[in-house]
Tab-separated table of all heavy atoms in Angstrom:
chain	number	residue	atom	x	y	z
W	271	TYR	N	204.545	88.127	64.254
W	271	TYR	CA	203.726	86.964	64.139
W	271	TYR	C	204.588	85.727	63.785
W	271	TYR	O	205.430	85.788	63.024
W	271	TYR	CB	202.647	87.143	63.134
W	271	TYR	CG	201.718	85.896	63.004
W	271	TYR	CD1	200.641	85.738	63.821
W	271	TYR	CD2	202.104	84.947	62.004
W	271	TYR	CE1	199.844	84.540	63.740
W	271	TYR	CE2	201.174	83.802	61.901
W	271	TYR	CZ	200.090	83.639	62.730
W	271	TYR	OH	199.364	82.479	62.665
W	273	GLU	N	204.439	81.036	63.845
W	273	GLU	CA	203.471	79.832	64.133
W	273	GLU	C	204.359	78.725	64.660
W	273	GLU	O	205.566	78.622	64.350
W	273	GLU	CB	202.902	79.426	62.861
W	273	GLU	CG	201.891	80.455	62.303
W	273	GLU	CD	201.285	79.956	61.070
W	273	GLU	OE1	201.827	79.040	60.302
W	273	GLU	OE2	200.127	80.506	60.716
W	311	PHE	N	200.115	80.371	76.227
W	311	PHE	CA	199.026	79.639	75.965
W	311	PHE	C	199.356	78.145	76.354
W	311	PHE	O	200.429	77.651	75.812
W	311	PHE	CB	198.509	79.740	74.519
W	311	PHE	CG	197.519	78.776	74.082
W	311	PHE	CD1	196.195	78.813	74.520
W	311	PHE	CD2	197.768	77.692	73.242
W	311	PHE	CE1	195.235	77.951	74.097
W	311	PHE	CE2	196.908	76.856	72.732
W	311	PHE	CZ	195.561	76.964	73.174
W	315	ARG	N	193.686	74.465	76.840
W	315	ARG	CA	192.655	75.535	76.759
W	315	ARG	C	192.870	76.529	77.934
W	315	ARG	O	191.917	76.810	78.825
W	315	ARG	CB	191.332	74.917	76.750
W	315	ARG	CG	190.362	75.932	76.265
W	315	ARG	CD	188.872	75.282	76.073
W	315	ARG	NE	187.937	76.349	76.069
W	315	ARG	CZ	186.955	76.393	76.971
W	315	ARG	NH1	186.796	75.468	77.802
W	315	ARG	NH2	186.108	77.434	76.897
W	326	TYR	N	190.912	79.754	78.326
W	326	TYR	CA	191.188	80.556	77.197
W	326	TYR	C	191.305	79.575	75.927
W	326	TYR	O	191.991	78.590	76.027
W	326	TYR	CB	192.405	81.467	77.304
W	326	TYR	CG	192.869	82.103	76.015
W	326	TYR	CD1	192.315	83.316	75.643
W	326	TYR	CD2	193.834	81.449	75.209
W	326	TYR	CE1	192.703	83.911	74.525
W	326	TYR	CE2	194.260	82.145	74.061
W	326	TYR	CZ	193.708	83.333	73.724
W	326	TYR	OH	194.140	83.982	72.542
W	327	GLY	N	190.762	79.892	74.799
W	327	GLY	CA	191.099	79.363	73.555
W	327	GLY	C	190.488	77.914	73.276
W	327	GLY	O	189.330	77.704	73.627
W	328	SER	N	191.315	77.009	72.878
W	328	SER	CA	190.844	75.676	72.433
W	328	SER	C	191.841	74.658	72.839
W	328	SER	O	193.099	74.925	72.909
W	328	SER	CB	190.720	75.821	70.892
W	328	SER	OG	190.332	74.592	70.397
W	329	HIS	N	191.389	73.409	72.961
W	329	HIS	CA	192.370	72.342	73.211
W	329	HIS	C	193.138	72.108	71.905
W	329	HIS	O	192.503	72.154	70.828
W	329	HIS	CB	191.556	70.979	73.578
W	329	HIS	CG	190.914	71.076	74.938
W	329	HIS	ND1	191.627	70.732	76.057
W	329	HIS	CD2	189.672	71.412	75.348
W	329	HIS	CE1	190.777	70.798	77.064
W	329	HIS	NE2	189.573	71.199	76.616
W	330	CYS	N	194.378	71.913	72.083
W	330	CYS	CA	195.272	71.676	70.928
W	330	CYS	C	195.966	70.361	71.062
W	330	CYS	O	196.378	69.945	72.100
W	330	CYS	CB	196.243	72.797	70.717
W	330	CYS	SG	195.471	74.449	70.554
W	335	THR	N	198.447	73.685	64.625
W	335	THR	CA	199.363	74.795	64.508
W	335	THR	C	198.841	76.006	65.355
W	335	THR	O	197.685	76.317	65.229
W	335	THR	CB	199.536	75.222	63.048
W	335	THR	OG1	200.115	74.200	62.270
W	335	THR	CG2	200.569	76.462	62.940
W	336	ILE	N	199.740	76.550	66.093
W	336	ILE	CA	199.374	77.730	66.953
W	336	ILE	C	200.040	78.956	66.437
W	336	ILE	O	201.271	78.984	66.286
W	336	ILE	CB	199.658	77.508	68.420
W	336	ILE	CG1	199.074	76.213	68.964
W	336	ILE	CG2	199.318	78.661	69.306
W	336	ILE	CD1	197.571	76.156	68.903
W	337	GLY	N	199.260	79.966	66.140
W	337	GLY	CA	199.846	81.262	65.733
W	337	GLY	C	200.001	82.213	66.908
W	337	GLY	O	199.178	82.205	67.768
W	338	VAL	N	201.104	82.945	67.010
W	338	VAL	CA	201.340	83.821	68.063
W	338	VAL	C	201.448	85.254	67.454
W	338	VAL	O	202.253	85.455	66.592
W	338	VAL	CB	202.627	83.477	68.800
W	338	VAL	CG1	202.864	84.398	69.987
W	338	VAL	CG2	202.633	82.017	69.245
W	348	SER	N	198.266	87.668	71.533
W	348	SER	CA	197.011	87.013	70.985
W	348	SER	C	197.558	85.708	70.392
W	348	SER	O	198.707	85.512	69.904
W	348	SER	CB	196.366	87.824	69.937
W	348	SER	OG	195.910	89.075	70.509
W	349	PHE	N	196.513	84.689	70.294
W	349	PHE	CA	196.882	83.464	69.687
W	349	PHE	C	195.845	82.975	68.686
W	349	PHE	O	194.699	83.447	68.720
W	349	PHE	CB	196.977	82.338	70.789
W	349	PHE	CG	198.142	82.582	71.801
W	349	PHE	CD1	197.846	83.240	72.926
W	349	PHE	CD2	199.381	82.099	71.499
W	349	PHE	CE1	198.921	83.473	73.854
W	349	PHE	CE2	200.457	82.268	72.341
W	349	PHE	CZ	200.148	83.012	73.583
W	350	PHE	N	196.248	82.109	67.713
W	350	PHE	CA	195.412	81.688	66.663
W	350	PHE	C	195.458	80.163	66.589
W	350	PHE	O	196.547	79.595	66.841
W	350	PHE	CB	195.749	82.310	65.315
W	350	PHE	CG	195.651	83.733	65.324
W	350	PHE	CD1	196.583	84.558	65.771
W	350	PHE	CD2	194.484	84.367	64.737
W	350	PHE	CE1	196.537	85.924	65.815
W	350	PHE	CE2	194.388	85.715	64.713
W	350	PHE	CZ	195.384	86.518	65.210
W	351	PHE	N	194.421	79.558	66.241
W	351	PHE	CA	194.425	78.025	66.131
W	351	PHE	C	194.123	77.596	64.709
W	351	PHE	O	193.220	78.064	64.092
W	351	PHE	CB	193.325	77.460	67.080
W	351	PHE	CG	193.024	76.022	66.967
W	351	PHE	CD1	193.866	75.085	67.502
W	351	PHE	CD2	191.970	75.512	66.083
W	351	PHE	CE1	193.636	73.689	67.344
W	351	PHE	CE2	191.802	74.215	65.951
W	351	PHE	CZ	192.610	73.238	66.577
W	352	ASP	N	194.944	76.681	64.202
W	352	ASP	CA	194.775	76.121	62.910
W	352	ASP	C	194.915	74.536	63.071
W	352	ASP	O	195.974	74.065	63.245
W	352	ASP	CB	195.849	76.660	61.909
W	352	ASP	CG	195.742	76.098	60.499
W	352	ASP	OD1	194.815	75.295	60.256
W	352	ASP	OD2	196.491	76.611	59.726
W	353	GLY	N	193.780	73.888	62.989
W	353	GLY	CA	193.854	72.491	63.209
W	353	GLY	C	192.445	71.851	62.839
W	353	GLY	O	191.634	72.404	62.229
W	354	VAL	N	192.321	70.603	63.277
W	354	VAL	CA	191.104	69.759	62.935
W	354	VAL	C	190.304	69.497	64.177
W	354	VAL	O	190.855	69.002	65.225
W	354	VAL	CB	191.443	68.428	62.214
W	354	VAL	CG1	190.273	67.610	62.009
W	354	VAL	CG2	192.222	68.750	60.901
W	355	LYS	N	189.104	69.842	64.180
W	355	LYS	CA	188.077	69.505	65.241
W	355	LYS	C	186.963	68.835	64.704
W	355	LYS	O	186.349	69.293	63.759
W	355	LYS	CB	187.628	70.881	65.966
W	355	LYS	CG	188.710	71.657	66.644
W	355	LYS	CD	189.116	70.955	67.904
W	355	LYS	CE	190.187	71.868	68.675
W	355	LYS	NZ	191.102	71.161	69.495
W	358	GLU	N	186.718	68.364	61.007
W	358	GLU	CA	186.714	69.612	60.053
W	358	GLU	C	187.984	70.455	60.412
W	358	GLU	O	188.257	70.624	61.535
W	358	GLU	CB	185.424	70.376	60.329
W	358	GLU	CG	184.205	69.691	59.768
W	358	GLU	CD	183.041	70.651	59.766
W	358	GLU	OE1	183.256	71.890	59.564
W	358	GLU	OE2	181.882	70.220	59.984
W	359	HIS	N	188.490	71.031	59.302
W	359	HIS	CA	189.537	72.001	59.440
W	359	HIS	C	188.990	73.245	60.046
W	359	HIS	O	188.024	73.824	59.508
W	359	HIS	CB	190.266	72.172	58.171
W	359	HIS	CG	191.381	73.142	58.213
W	359	HIS	ND1	191.339	74.448	57.741
W	359	HIS	CD2	192.633	73.100	58.832
W	359	HIS	CE1	192.493	75.076	58.040
W	359	HIS	NE2	193.247	74.211	58.653
W	360	ILE	N	189.674	73.860	61.024
W	360	ILE	CA	189.236	75.084	61.673
W	360	ILE	C	190.409	76.035	61.689
W	360	ILE	O	191.558	75.657	62.074
W	360	ILE	CB	188.640	74.814	63.073
W	360	ILE	CG1	187.462	73.946	62.936
W	360	ILE	CG2	188.459	76.112	63.793
W	360	ILE	CD1	186.937	73.502	64.371
W	361	LEU	N	190.191	77.292	61.326
W	361	LEU	CA	191.086	78.374	61.535
W	361	LEU	C	190.409	79.331	62.428
W	361	LEU	O	189.387	79.908	62.067
W	361	LEU	CB	191.541	79.027	60.220
W	361	LEU	CG	192.548	80.138	60.288
W	361	LEU	CD1	193.829	79.654	60.919
W	361	LEU	CD2	192.823	80.632	58.881
W	362	ASN	N	190.996	79.667	63.625
W	362	ASN	CA	190.224	80.426	64.586
W	362	ASN	C	191.119	81.439	65.273
W	362	ASN	O	192.273	81.063	65.742
W	362	ASN	CB	189.686	79.411	65.654
W	362	ASN	CG	188.712	80.095	66.647
W	362	ASN	OD1	188.207	81.155	66.283
W	362	ASN	ND2	188.319	79.349	67.587
W	363	ASP	N	190.628	82.709	65.287
W	363	ASP	CA	191.315	83.684	66.122
W	363	ASP	C	190.853	83.511	67.631
W	363	ASP	O	189.650	83.683	67.816
W	363	ASP	CB	190.883	85.083	65.629
W	363	ASP	CG	191.499	86.299	66.337
W	363	ASP	OD1	192.050	86.015	67.405
W	363	ASP	OD2	191.340	87.433	65.820
W	364	LEU	N	191.773	83.141	68.449
W	364	LEU	CA	191.349	82.913	69.880
W	364	LEU	C	191.311	84.189	70.644
W	364	LEU	O	190.839	84.212	71.784
W	364	LEU	CB	192.445	82.014	70.517
W	364	LEU	CG	192.623	80.675	69.826
W	364	LEU	CD1	193.683	79.816	70.494
W	364	LEU	CD2	191.284	79.888	69.744
W	365	GLY	N	191.608	85.272	70.052
W	365	GLY	CA	191.441	86.655	70.755
W	365	GLY	C	192.638	87.049	71.596
W	365	GLY	O	193.672	86.315	71.648
W	366	CYS	N	192.585	88.112	72.188
W	366	CYS	CA	193.616	88.643	73.008
W	366	CYS	C	193.696	87.849	74.364
W	366	CYS	O	192.730	87.757	75.057
W	366	CYS	CB	193.412	90.209	73.282
W	366	CYS	SG	194.829	90.903	74.241
Side-chain angles (χ1 to χ4, degrees):
Y271 179 84
E273 293 180 341
F311 170 71
R315 199 174 160 238
Y326 169 86
S328 177
H329 290 276
C330 300
T335 299
I336 304 302
V338 183
S348 302
F349 295 92
F350 297 82
F351 171 81
D352 183 353
V354 176
K355 295 285 185 209
E358 289 191 37
H359 180 253
I360 295 174
L361 183 57
N362 192 11
D363 177 351
L364 301 178
C366 185

